[in-house]
Amino acid sequence: VICRSLANSSNGIKRKSPLQNLHLVSRSIHHPYYPSSKFQRPPLRISIQMFSSLNRLPLRKTKLLNVKYGYQFHRNFWLARLASRLLKLRYLILGSAVGGGYTAKKTYDQWKDMMPDLDEYKWIVPDFIWELDEHIDFEKLIKALPDADDLAKLLPDFEKIGESFASLKGFFSPGYNLVSEVIGASDLLLLLGSPGETAFRATDQGYDNDKQYKKVSDKEKIDQLQEELLRTQLKYQRMLERLEKENKELRKLVLQRDDKGIHQRKLKKSLIDMYSEVLDILSDYDASYNTQDHLPRVVVVGDQSAGKTSVLEMIAQARIFPRGSGEMMTRSPVKVTLSEGPHHVALFKDSSREFDLTKEEDLAALRNEIEIRMRNSVKEGCTVSTETISLSVKGPGLQRMVLVDLPGVISTVTSGMAPDTKETIFSISKAYMQNPNAIILCIQDGSVDAERSIVTDLVSQMDPQGKRTIFVLTKVDLAEKNVASPSRIQQIIEGKLFPMKALGYFAVVTGKGNSSESIESIKEYEEEFFQNSKLLKTCMLKAHQVTTKNLSLAVSDCFWKMVRESVEQQADAFKATRFNLETEWKNNYPRLRELDRNELFEKAKNEILDEVISLTQVTPKHWEEILQKTLWERVSTHVIENIYLPAAQTMNSGTFNTTVDIKLKQWTDKQLPNKAVEVAWETLQEEFARFMTEQKGKEHDDIFDKLKQAVKEESIKRHKWNERAEDSLRVIQHNALEDRSISDKQQWDAAIHFMEETLQSRLKDTESVIEDMVGPDWKKRWLYWIGRTKEQNIRNETKNELEKLIKCNEEHAAYLANDEVTTVRKNLEARGITVDPCLIKDTWHQIYRRYFLKTALNHCNLCRRGFYYYQRHFVDSELECNDIVLFWRIQRMLAITANTLRQQLTNTEVRRLEKNVKEVLEDFAEDNEKKVKLLTGKRVQLAEDLSK
């Protein structure tokens, strides 16, 4: 039409626009002002301007002319008509796109509804396949796809392209094989469902090829479908085994890399891996909370010699159990924890030895060890034991689960067995099966009559509904030969023969009965048997119900479903427990953070180290003051009693100085250095203890007191003072005591003050002793209504007599002569008081001591102005102050000793003590029993429970 319009316009023929040939709607779209349209627009008023050929004359405008729609000058507007014709193409394209997109979306939804739910088999497909939708927008891709009819037209072209690429198949073979395997795995997923679903899908496949069976009878058609389905199942079974073998090798490489610490990339964990970690955590938690009783396990039960141990070995992929013909070999429960690992090894829970299951000598040693442990666990007079032997088996491709092999159920107690063997086996089996989280793997010997079975009745009693039971028929190869009617085997596998119920029924072959057969040879024999078995060809048995491989997958799937439920139950229980603990914590300790025992120990460790560091910040003045004061308290008695008092009894200053020098030399050589080191060590301990026990206001936490005390005691116990310190200190002290030169009046006054303080302190002590001896004076007796004892009265009378003696002779010696003792005793007897001579001497010692100290204090007061005479060496002076010089020498020795000890403390001993403290803390950190003993209390226990 457009071409004809163009042709007419070019020839100058005036024609109307061919709107009558278009659809009514199309004409309305093309010309919205066509009479059929509901809306009308007012006529367009056009201004036509006539141009003159005269350039200089003004142009004259014409009047507006009315022009109707639908009519234009064909000579000047043919291009507009062309554009109007072309506009209708976009509406055609738009309509086609909308219709095609809707059809594609509907087709996609239909395909999506037809696909089965494959969520349970996502683990077969790698993780990155499920992550593609994060990077590719499949909705946009589907909308961009052409219609199904258009694709059908293009199929011949695709076939030609495929033929042209056939020659390049060798070049693209790796990628082609990979895609084929993925497609095969996807088809395999359709075959892994229940038997009903498998038959339904097979029927769908047969429905697509229904035309080629039109002339075949229905029976032959069903047979062909069954044979095709069997071939397909076997084909994909072999493909599955090949893929699993390759996956096993790859998984082994990954585990070996992880074992060496080589991580190429961060892998996303599957659900099974996460549940495995949870299972390990709960198993560790078992030590105090018995969580293992709530965790799922697969309990293998069966009649004796039914092949249950062989089934367990096939699942573990190693012949690890002792074997015997017809005799009882499993004498105690054996718990086998299967897990995946880079190497196929086994080890006992209480041993660190690993048995390499790929080596025959290790297998023999493992079987021997299990047999020895079984026999050792059986008590005298018994045949079986209730003790469980725990064994862990790791290897590439092993299904993660926990299995327990129980002693075989017997019907008769034979000779050599304990009388209660049958009942013991029944009680052990019931104890394990009554756990609601136990999966019962019921093993039935297929080569014997079903009526002879004992275990089926036992299992039906423990699990009447069959919600956690899997039935396994062993020795199917012998059963096929011996059973006259193969349908009997079919009835067993369909659950129609035995009165028990089960989740699933499986038929397996565990070898030819030769104990030396390997796992690989048994697998090959089993596969060969079922490939040629009439039971499978005649569809008496389904392909997914045979082989130990399918059994292992089914048991693992059931185990992990129960693990998930168990973990969820444990999680709920733990959440409730934690909520209660958190509530208790908030009520009792609202302002404290939840710190368990290890965290509290770390906090206490930091505090102790800070306190040890604080020792280095003690000022030298403080150290020296404490050392000087403590050392004088320790040696003052010796100085007064053994040096000063004996020397003061001499008659002249020369004898006094000689006596003092001799006694100071003896004291320095033997006792003084050792005493000084003891004082320094005790001072360090006291300062360390002060910092450790010092309360720091509100921040003080008394929960650390026991730990700090133990650390302090252990550190002090390990600390030893430097042995060379005494030798160097002896020389320093000897030199200090030999110096007699007082340089200034200030030192002289300080010595007098030191002497007065010492003598007053001794006088006060002596007065207290005399008061205890003679009793209270008359003032206290009247004020406090207390009296003297008989002994105190005798002592008081003796004191009065001795005081008279001193008044008579003020220069009396320090000791009483025998005749003086007799005189005092006779004077007392004359007044009716009988006195023992020893009592007189004892009383005299204290009376004379008081008299001497008072005299010495008076002399000390006189010597305050004696520094001038001292500088002149007391020439032409009756005043002698040699005792002041003695106390100055003692005071200077104390100051020098304190300074020396302080330097040794700050430079050496504090650092050694800090090192000891760190070692003690490290030892305590590794000793959990020590931490439990030292960090105790309700708060610690509550935090520990919260942490768990």
Side-chain angles (χ1 to χ4, degrees):
V1 173
I2 293 171
C3 293
R4 284 200 300 271
S5 300
L6 290 173
N8 294 336
S9 300
S10 62
N11 294 331
I13 301 173
K14 183 178 179 181
R15 294 178 60 90
K16 291 184 177 181
S17 179
L19 295 175
Q20 64 275 10
N21 297 329
L22 298 175
H23 191 271
L24 181 61
V25 178
S26 300
R27 284 181 289 176
S28 300
I29 293 174
H30 187 71
H31 287 297
Y33 313 113
Y34 191 77
S36 63
S37 179
K38 294 181 180 180
F39 303 96
Q40 298 293 332
R41 181 178 291 183
L44 182 63
R45 301 177 62 87
I46 304 175
S47 174
I48 301 176
Q49 191 176 30
M50 305 301 295
F51 295 92
S52 172
S53 59
L54 299 176
N55 295 332
R56 297 182 179 179
L57 294 178
L59 297 177
R60 180 172 55 89
K61 295 183 180 180
T62 62
K63 295 181 179 180
L64 293 176
L65 301 178
N66 293 332
V67 182
K68 295 181 178 180
Y69 287 93
Y71 176 79
Q72 294 179 353
F73 296 103
H74 65 274
R75 181 177 59 186
N76 298 327
F77 297 98
W78 62 269
L79 188 60
R81 289 201 303 274
L82 174 62
S84 65
R85 302 301 191 277
L86 290 174
L87 286 175
K88 70 177 183 178
L89 292 177
R90 63 179 180 178
Y91 299 109
L92 294 174
I93 294 173
L94 179 62
S96 300
V98 172
Y102 175 76
T103 305
K105 179 72 168 100
K106 187 175 180 181
T107 305
Y108 168 72
D109 292 337
Q110 291 177 354
W111 288 353
K112 188 175 179 180
D113 294 337
M114 292 171 62
M115 290 295 291
D117 186 8
L118 304 178
D119 290 340
E120 296 183 359
Y121 305 98
K122 282 187 177 182
W123 58 273
I124 297 179
V125 184
D127 291 340
F128 71 89
I129 297 296
W130 308 113
E131 297 175 359
L132 289 177
D133 58 347
E134 298 178 4
H135 308 287
I136 301 176
D137 193 346
F138 288 102
E139 295 293 337
K140 292 183 179 180
L141 186 61
I142 292 170
K143 292 179 181 179
L145 291 175
D147 195 2
D149 297 335
D150 297 334
L151 288 175
K153 294 178 182 179
L154 295 175
L155 284 178
D157 297 332
F158 286 143
E159 292 177 357
K160 293 179 181 180
I161 294 173
E163 292 175 0
S164 63
F165 274 96
S167 59
L168 299 175
K169 182 178 180 182
F171 180 75
F172 292 106
S173 59
Y176 175 79
N177 293 336
L178 179 60
V179 174
S180 300
E181 288 181 4
V182 173
I183 295 173
S186 301
D187 292 339
L188 180 62
L189 293 178
L190 301 178
L191 297 173
L192 290 177
S194 62
E197 293 175 351
T198 305
F200 175 72
R201 293 160 189 160
T203 307
D204 290 343
Q205 295 175 359
Y207 181 79
D208 294 337
N209 301 323
D210 188 52
K211 293 183 180 180
Q212 59 182 346
Y213 297 113
K214 283 184 178 180
K215 297 181 180 180
V216 184
S217 63
D218 293 341
K219 185 176 181 180
E220 294 177 353
K221 181 178 178 181
I222 293 173
D223 293 340
Q224 291 178 2
L225 280 172
Q226 290 178 347
E227 291 179 0
E228 183 179 354
L229 176 61
L230 181 59
R231 286 194 300 270
T232 306
Q233 289 177 336
L234 293 176
K235 171 187 173 183
Y236 287 124
Q237 183 71 20
R238 288 191 293 269
M239 183 183 296
L240 174 63
E241 292 174 356
R242 181 170 59 84
L243 290 175
E244 285 179 347
K245 185 177 181 181
E246 294 176 359
N247 182 44
K248 180 179 177 181
E249 296 296 327
L250 292 174
R251 183 68 178 171
K252 183 178 180 180
L253 293 175
V254 171
L255 291 172
Q256 288 175 349
R257 286 186 176 183
D258 290 343
D259 194 39
K260 295 178 181 178
I262 303 174
H263 300 280
Q264 300 294 335
R265 65 186 181 92
K266 188 176 181 180
L267 299 175
K268 183 179 287 186
K269 294 181 181 178
S270 65
L271 280 177
I272 289 181
D273 293 333
M274 286 190 287
Y275 280 133
S276 299
E277 292 181 2
V278 172
L279 191 63
D280 292 334
I281 293 172
L282 294 178
S283 297
D284 295 337
Y285 200 61
D286 176 34
S288 57
Y289 279 83
N290 297 323
T291 311
Q292 191 71 26
D293 295 337
H294 304 286
L295 293 177
R297 65 190 71 187
V298 180
V299 179
V300 185
V301 295
D303 297 330
Q304 184 178 343
S305 302
K308 55 184 181 57
T309 302
S310 300
V311 171
L312 197 151
E313 287 180 336
M314 291 296 291
I315 296 176
Q317 299 183 15
R319 311 209 74 173
I320 58 177
F321 291 101
R323 312 190 67 79
S325 57
E327 60 176 322
M328 178 182 292
M329 298 304 298
T330 306
R331 295 181 177 271
S332 66
V334 181
K335 185 177 74 171
V336 182
T337 303
L338 301 181
S339 60
E340 195 172 20
H343 306 290
H344 203 186
V345 295
L347 67 158
F348 291 97
K349 187 176 181 180
D350 56 352
S351 174
S352 59
R353 179 187 175 183
E354 285 191 351
F355 297 88
D356 190 351
L357 301 184
T358 60
K359 297 180 180 179
E360 188 58 37
E361 56 270 18
D362 280 21
L363 280 171
L366 177 61
R367 289 192 291 266
N368 185 44
E369 180 68 19
I370 293 176
E371 186 174 1
I372 292 174
R373 287 174 179 256
M374 284 183 181
R375 295 188 182 276
N376 292 337
S377 65
V378 177
K379 298 179 180 179
E380 186 177 356
C382 300
T383 306
V384 293
S385 171
T386 59
E387 296 181 10
T388 302
I389 300 174
S390 297
L391 181 69
S392 297
V393 177
K394 299 180 181 179
L398 289 182
Q399 302 294 326
R400 177 65 186 266
M401 66 184 88
V402 180
L403 301 102
V404 181
D405 186 21
L406 300 179
V409 180
I410 59 175
S411 58
T412 304
V413 177
T414 59
S415 61
M417 291 186 179
D420 61 343
T421 302
K422 180 179 178 180
E423 290 76 13
T424 305
I425 294 175
F426 268 84
S427 63
I428 293 174
S429 302
K430 288 181 179 180
Y432 275 91
M433 287 191 294
Q434 70 183 2
N435 186 349
N437 292 317
I439 302 171
I440 304 172
L441 199 62
C442 180
I443 309 298
Q444 173 63 35
D445 189 350
S447 62
V448 300
D449 295 335
E451 289 76 11
R452 295 169 57 186
S453 175
I454 306 173
V455 70
T456 52
D457 294 335
L458 180 62
V459 172
S460 61
Q461 293 176 9
M462 305 308 298
D463 185 23
Q465 303 298 324
K467 294 182 178 180
R468 49 189 181 89
T469 302
I470 296 177
F471 182 87
V472 182
L473 186 66
T474 60
K475 305 178 184 179
V476 182
D477 53 342
L478 300 178
E480 188 179 21
K481 295 178 183 178
N482 301 335
V483 177
S485 175
S487 61
R488 191 173 179 83
I489 299 177
Q490 183 181 7
Q491 290 179 348
I492 295 175
I493 297 301
E494 290 178 354
K496 298 178 180 179
L497 188 62
F498 290 108
M500 60 173 289
K501 297 179 181 179
L503 289 172
Y505 296 84
F506 290 87
V508 299
V509 174
T510 56
K512 301 177 182 179
N514 186 1
S515 60
S516 62
E517 287 181 292
S518 63
I519 296 295
E520 288 73 18
S521 62
I522 295 175
K523 284 184 178 179
E524 293 177 359
Y525 172 72
E526 185 182 41
E527 291 176 1
E528 182 181 357
F529 168 76
F530 282 115
Q531 286 178 1
N532 302 322
S533 174
K534 295 180 181 179
L535 298 172
L536 204 60
K537 290 182 178 179
T538 57
C539 290
M540 291 186 180
L541 299 179
K542 303 296 188 297
H544 67 275
Q545 291 181 305
V546 298
T547 72
T548 52
K549 181 65 177 177
N550 289 336
L551 170 64
S552 177
L553 291 172
V555 173
S556 177
D557 183 58
C558 184
F559 173 79
W560 283 107
K561 285 182 179 178
M562 193 167 286
V563 165
R564 179 172 183 172
E565 295 174 359
S566 174
V567 169
E568 289 174 352
Q569 293 175 1
Q570 289 292 325
D572 293 339
F574 290 154
K575 284 179 182 178
T577 305
R578 180 167 180 81
F579 176 78
N580 296 335
L581 293 173
E582 286 177 344
T583 304
E584 185 178 358
W585 180 275
K586 291 177 181 177
N587 293 333
N588 295 321
Y589 313 103
R591 298 182 181 179
L592 295 178
R593 193 164 64 91
E594 303 167 8
L595 297 177
D596 60 11
R597 186 170 278 110
N598 292 328
E599 292 172 331
L600 286 171
F601 181 83
E602 290 299 322
K603 184 178 178 181
K605 177 181 177 182
N606 295 331
E607 287 189 10
I608 293 172
L609 293 177
D610 291 341
E611 290 160 357
V612 174
I613 294 174
S614 300
L615 279 175
T616 60
Q617 299 175 356
V618 177
T619 61
K621 182 180 178 181
H622 180 73
W623 277 121
E624 291 182 11
E625 287 178 353
I626 296 177
L627 289 169
Q628 188 170 348
K629 179 181 178 182
T630 309
L631 181 60
W632 175 240
E633 290 176 354
R634 189 67 57 87
V635 301
S636 61
T637 302
H638 181 84
V639 170
I640 298 297
E641 303 294 336
N642 298 329
I643 299 176
Y644 175 61
L645 288 179
Q649 304 302 318
T650 58
M651 300 303 296
N652 54 56
S653 61
T655 308
F656 178 88
N657 292 331
T658 302
T659 305
V660 166
D661 290 342
I662 292 172
K663 291 185 176 295
L664 287 177
K665 181 70 168 56
Q666 294 174 351
W667 183 45
T668 306
D669 291 340
K670 296 179 180 180
Q671 300 178 6
L672 183 57
N674 185 27
K675 288 285 184 182
V677 171
E678 288 180 2
V679 167
W681 178 218
E682 291 176 4
T683 303
L684 178 61
Q685 295 181 37
E686 291 174 359
E687 287 298 302
F688 179 47
R690 182 174 67 84
F691 280 107
M692 293 279 284
T693 58
E694 186 179 22
Q695 295 187 4
K696 301 177 181 179
K698 295 181 179 179
E699 297 181 358
H700 177 72
D701 197 346
D702 56 358
I703 202 171
F704 300 142
D705 291 347
K706 290 177 66 177
L707 175 62
K708 290 181 178 180
Q709 182 68 20
V711 171
K712 183 195 74 172
E713 292 176 357
E714 185 65 24
S715 302
I716 291 173
K717 183 180 179 182
R718 296 185 184 185
H719 186 83
K720 292 183 179 179
W721 200 274
N722 190 0
E723 296 178 354
R724 299 179 181 178
E726 290 188 13
D727 298 333
S728 60
L729 190 60
R730 181 178 292 109
V731 175
I732 294 172
Q733 290 173 339
H734 183 72
N735 293 334
L737 289 173
E738 283 186 347
D739 188 9
R740 296 188 183 88
S741 58
I742 303 176
S743 59
D744 54 17
K745 183 69 165 57
Q746 184 178 2
Q747 293 182 6
W748 181 268
D749 293 339
I752 292 175
H753 179 70
F754 174 60
M755 180 178 176
E756 284 182 342
E757 285 186 347
T758 304
L759 294 180
Q760 285 177 357
S761 175
R762 294 290 166 177
L763 179 60
K764 185 177 180 181
D765 294 339
T766 303
E767 293 281 1
S768 177
V769 172
I770 293 175
E771 185 178 357
D772 292 339
M773 290 173 61
V774 301
D777 57 5
W778 65 272
K779 290 182 180 179
K780 290 184 179 180
R781 292 200 302 270
W782 279 96
L783 289 175
Y784 302 107
W785 290 85
I786 55 176
R788 293 172 177 168
T789 62
K790 182 178 180 181
E791 184 180 356
Q792 288 177 342
N793 286 323
I794 295 174
R795 291 263 189 186
N796 185 49
E797 294 296 333
T798 306
K799 181 196 77 165
N800 294 332
E801 287 293 327
L802 293 173
E803 286 178 347
K804 293 177 183 178
L805 187 63
I806 292 176
K807 287 180 180 179
C808 295
N809 185 12
E810 293 182 354
E811 296 181 357
H812 197 285
Y815 301 99
L816 281 175
N818 291 331
D819 54 345
E820 292 176 332
V821 173
T822 304
T823 301
V824 171
R825 181 171 60 83
K826 288 183 177 181
N827 292 336
L828 293 173
E829 286 178 354
R831 286 185 289 177
I833 300 173
T834 305
V835 182
D836 186 64
C838 293
L839 185 144
I840 297 173
K841 293 180 179 180
D842 186 30
T843 307
W844 167 257
H845 176 72
Q846 298 300 329
I847 298 300
Y848 182 82
R849 183 185 181 87
R850 181 177 63 176
Y851 169 75
F852 173 80
L853 291 174
K854 288 182 178 180
T855 304
L857 282 171
N858 292 330
H859 179 72
C860 184
N861 191 26
L862 293 174
C863 288
R864 290 183 182 278
R865 64 182 189 277
F867 181 67
Y868 170 73
Y869 300 104
Y870 165 77
Q871 288 179 326
R872 297 181 59 188
H873 303 287
F874 299 103
V875 177
D876 299 332
S877 174
E878 296 180 358
L879 183 64
E880 293 183 358
C881 299
N882 293 313
D883 49 355
I884 304 297
V885 177
L886 170 63
F887 276 92
W888 178 83
R889 292 166 68 182
I890 297 295
Q891 187 182 31
R892 186 169 180 271
M893 181 274 298
L894 293 174
I896 293 176
T897 302
N899 181 268
T900 304
L901 293 174
R902 188 266 305 168
Q903 293 181 14
Q904 187 174 0
L905 280 172
T906 56
N907 296 336
T908 306
E909 302 302 331
V910 171
R911 295 180 182 177
R912 292 177 58 206
L913 179 62
E914 182 180 356
K915 182 180 178 182
N916 290 337
V917 170
K918 290 181 179 179
E919 293 177 354
V920 171
L921 288 172
E922 290 177 358
D923 294 342
F924 283 7
E926 297 176 357
D927 192 347
N928 290 326
E929 294 182 359
K930 206 80 170 178
K931 288 190 285 187
V932 171
K933 182 180 178 181
L934 298 175
L935 292 173
T936 58
K938 180 181 178 182
R939 170 183 158 194
V940 181
Q941 190 59 44
L942 188 58
E944 281 288 299
D945 295 340
L946 279 168
S947 176
K948 290 182 180 180

